[in-house]
Amino acid sequence: ESNAIVTNESHLPYKRTHLSKKLTGNEIDNDFELVAKSWYEENQINLIYDEAVAIDAKENRVTLIDGQTVHYDFLIIAT
């Protein structure tokens, strides 16, 4: 069993609700990332910094912009 997060952003997932405060310089805390990078490693979550361009629901496969494919049992799409 493996878990992965595919993101086209070049940094760790972050708290989007804090984004406007970060951009205006009025951030209320330094805790901008959801969790530390070590948390993903400890929980065996593979961070894939690429862009998903296609989903093949019949084959349970996501194709990335570089042509790589990622198999899934369950897929969650978050924007």
Side-chain angles (χ1 to χ4, degrees):
E1 178 180 322
S2 67
N3 297 294
I5 294 175
V6 176
T7 178
N8 66 348
E9 297 180 334
S10 61
H11 44 77
L12 293 173
Y14 55 91
K15 296 176 184 173
R16 297 196 186 284
T17 57
H18 290 198
L19 185 58
S20 61
K21 292 180 180 113
K22 180 83 168 174
L23 293 174
T24 61
N26 296 324
E27 185 178 0
I28 54 174
D29 60 32
N30 294 327
D31 190 25
F32 194 57
E33 296 172 346
L34 289 175
V35 293
K37 185 175 183 177
S38 60
W39 183 89
Y40 296 99
E41 294 165 355
E42 291 165 6
N43 289 280
Q44 300 175 334
I45 298 173
N46 184 22
L47 293 169
I48 301 172
Y49 297 99
D50 206 334
E51 184 174 343
V53 294
I55 299 170
D56 183 338
K58 289 184 180 179
E59 296 294 324
N60 290 15
R61 180 173 51 212
V62 174
T63 302
L64 306 178
I65 200 166
D66 68 0
Q68 176 185 351
T69 59
V70 179
H71 178 268
Y72 65 87
D73 290 323
F74 300 98
L75 177 65
I76 298 172
I77 299 172
T79 60

